[in-house]
Amino acid sequence: MTVPPPRLDSKLPDVGTTIFTVMSQMAHDHGAINLSQGYPDYDGPAVLRERLQHYAGNGYNQYAPLAGVPALRAQIAAKVARCYGRDIDADTEVTVTPGATEAIYCAVTAVVRPGDEVILFDPVYDCYDPAVRLSGGVPVHLTLAAPGYRIDWDAVARAITPRTRLIMVNSPHNPTGSVLEADDIAALRELAVRHDLIVIADEVYEHLVFDGRRHESVLRDPVLAARSFAVFSFGKTYHVTGWKTGYCVAPPVLTTELRRVHQFVAFVANTPVQHALADFMAAHPEHLDELPGFYQAKRDRFNAALAGSRFRLRPSAGTFFQLADYAAISDEPDREFVRWLTTEVGVAAIPMSVFYAAPPGERVVRFCFCKEDATLDLAAAKLAAL
Ligand code: PMP
Ligand code: GLN
């Protein structure tokens, strides 16, 4: 007897398994050094992990309050004041979420209605476009031009229509490592106000900015902050991507809408993790100040090792990603190149084309340098030999 399947029209028929999972699996299967998916091969701070054990071992294992553990929200508010000079209300403007991904999904879902247009910038992080489409929105993909990957604000102005509702920016930018400058923030503010747009600012790499730069958070700007969901991730900042905990800072009107969705998507984030993070943030504020130097040293080490190679490196001003042009090594499209690199050379990378609605056909891959120095040295030696 054949069992009939249900009628099913996929809501995301063109979407396969995320490239990060595909490449990490390939790296695992072939024993390759994994410079593909962005996660460290070192642990979060020992004190932080000890605090998690403490809370998990001492009865902090039931649901947290909907908005997040108050002690953690207070630490977040203090951090926003210290880093961005902005006083926020921890009760009405901060929501702790199971990762930045969930915050982004809930923010999109909260504001996008069928037919609303949402401006995105390719290369774009992979969770934005599907979230927009699942809400019936229309993603409008603009392009960041290589090698600087700056936003062309005149092109943004031309792309805005009466249906434009939301603009999604990411700085420091995954996968390119570009960052928004103060004049970008001014241009964003001007267009957002003129056209009454809402902004989602994905700032998960806020502390990973190099060469003395300052992270230009939308939270520094009172006008932009009043119409933005600013999204952050503890995973990047404390080297604990697997803890899947992040947060969204937004004015009360937007936070109310975010929580209306969040309460039915996840309801809350992980309780003992939130307590552990609150303790660690209170005890070790210097951790944030050390991050830029920590990652800049890794970028410089990796890049120096590749300097004499046939890869041409693009500038990386932030994040823990490095783009590399491999046109001098191979004519293969990037998906084939990373397969070869992983299976034959032993180093996994991410093909750049996956971040585009219409890939430009460049020969570019993304390497992740949040790895032990020994891992980076080993990988770079293999890459430099090509
Ligand atoms: N946005 C960007 C640009 C990212 O690189 C990541 C990292 N995976 C996320 C959002 C999601 O962060 P989280 O793991 O906290 O959901
Ligand atoms: N943000 C990480 C990256 O860009 C991966 C996160 C994920 O796998 N969803 O590699």
Side-chain angles (χ1 to χ4, degrees):
M1 188 186 85
T2 54
V3 180
R7 181 180 61 80
L8 189 60
D9 300 323
S10 172
K11 296 178 80 173
L12 295 172
D14 54 334
V15 166
T17 303
T18 161
I19 191 70
F20 306 118
T21 297
V22 171
M23 291 315 304
S24 279
Q25 185 65 46
M26 198 187 294
H28 177 262
D29 292 347
H30 293 271
I33 301 171
N34 191 359
L35 303 192
S36 64
Q37 189 177 24
Y39 64 86
D41 65 351
Y42 36 85
D43 232 334
V47 178
L48 175 60
R49 288 180 282 122
E50 181 281 319
R51 294 321 289 159
L52 177 60
Q53 283 180 333
H54 168 81
Y55 285 110
N58 287 279
Y60 290 80
N61 296 307
Q62 308 309 329
Y63 293 128
L66 194 155
V69 164
L72 181 57
R73 283 187 284 116
Q75 286 301 322
I76 291 167
K79 188 223 84 172
V80 168
R82 179 162 85 93
C83 293
Y84 306 126
R86 184 169 179 74
D87 287 326
I88 54 170
D89 183 329
D91 288 330
T92 60
E93 298 184 88
V94 180
T95 309
V96 183
T97 60
T101 310
E102 198 253 2
I104 292 166
Y105 186 83
C106 292
V108 169
T109 305
V111 298
V112 173
R113 294 171 191 274
D116 283 352
E117 291 171 10
V118 178
I119 293 183
L120 311 174
F121 298 96
D122 289 3
V124 68
Y125 186 61
D126 69 346
C127 74
Y128 300 0
D129 174 291
V132 170
R133 288 193 284 142
L134 285 170
S135 278
V138 180
V140 176
H141 288 259
L142 304 184
T143 304
L144 305 175
Y149 299 105
R150 303 287 308 273
I151 293 176
D152 176 348
W153 292 104
D154 293 332
V156 177
R158 288 194 299 275
I160 292 172
T161 77
R163 292 311 305 261
T164 309
R165 180 80 277 248
L166 178 67
I167 180 164
M168 298 177 75
V169 293
N170 170 215
S171 178
H173 185 254
N174 180 5
T176 69
S178 69
V179 297
L180 293 182
E181 312 275 359
D183 57 344
D184 294 306
I185 294 292
L188 174 61
R189 175 184 53 227
E190 203 272 314
L191 287 176
V193 171
R194 176 145 41 108
H195 298 283
D196 193 14
L197 307 180
I198 291 171
V199 175
I200 294 179
D202 178 344
E203 303 187 15
V204 299
Y205 300 102
E206 63 182 319
H207 302 295
L208 281 56
V209 283
F210 310 138
D211 309 313
R213 286 184 183 80
R214 177 179 108 149
H215 171 56
E216 297 297 339
S217 174
V218 293
L219 298 179
R220 291 185 192 278
D221 184 299
V223 176
L224 262 184
R227 52 177 63 246
S228 298
F229 296 97
V231 177
F232 304 90
S233 174
F234 292 111
K236 320 290 171 190
T237 299
Y238 296 103
H239 318 312
V240 287
T241 60
W243 288 15
K244 284 301 296 185
T245 308
Y247 57 98
C248 179
V249 176
V253 279
L254 295 183
T255 292
T256 300
E257 296 307 317
L258 179 90
R259 290 180 187 170
R260 281 183 167 149
V261 179
H262 164 67
Q263 67 185 335
F264 299 127
V265 174
F267 177 44
V268 287
N270 179 304
T271 303
V273 163
Q274 291 190 61
H275 285 285
L277 286 164
D279 284 2
F280 189 80
M281 287 178 82
H284 293 285
E286 78 288 353
H287 176 89
L288 304 184
D289 305 324
E290 292 163 2
L291 280 175
F294 177 78
Y295 278 111
Q296 184 174 324
K298 293 201 177 293
R299 179 201 63 177
D300 291 347
R301 185 183 189 98
F302 184 61
N303 289 7
L306 289 183
S309 78
R310 293 200 289 162
F311 285 99
R312 282 210 310 282
L313 304 181
R314 302 231 159 129
S316 173
T319 73
F320 42 49
F321 301 117
Q322 175 63 56
L323 295 186
D325 181 318
Y326 64 86
I329 299 170
S330 167
D331 288 335
E332 292 281 303
D334 58 0
R335 281 179 182 270
E336 275 82 81
F337 183 73
V338 295
R339 177 177 295 278
W340 173 77
L341 204 60
T342 308
T343 59
E344 304 300 323
V345 180
V347 181
I350 297 290
M352 195 53 179
S353 59
V354 300
F355 300 108
Y356 288 89
E362 287 191 305
R363 303 284 179 263
V364 177
V365 293
R366 188 197 80 178
F367 293 115
C368 162
F369 56 78
C370 57
K371 304 291 168 184
E372 297 281 9
D373 288 349
T375 313
L376 292 176
D377 292 350
L378 208 57
K382 288 174 184 284
L383 297 171
L386 296 177

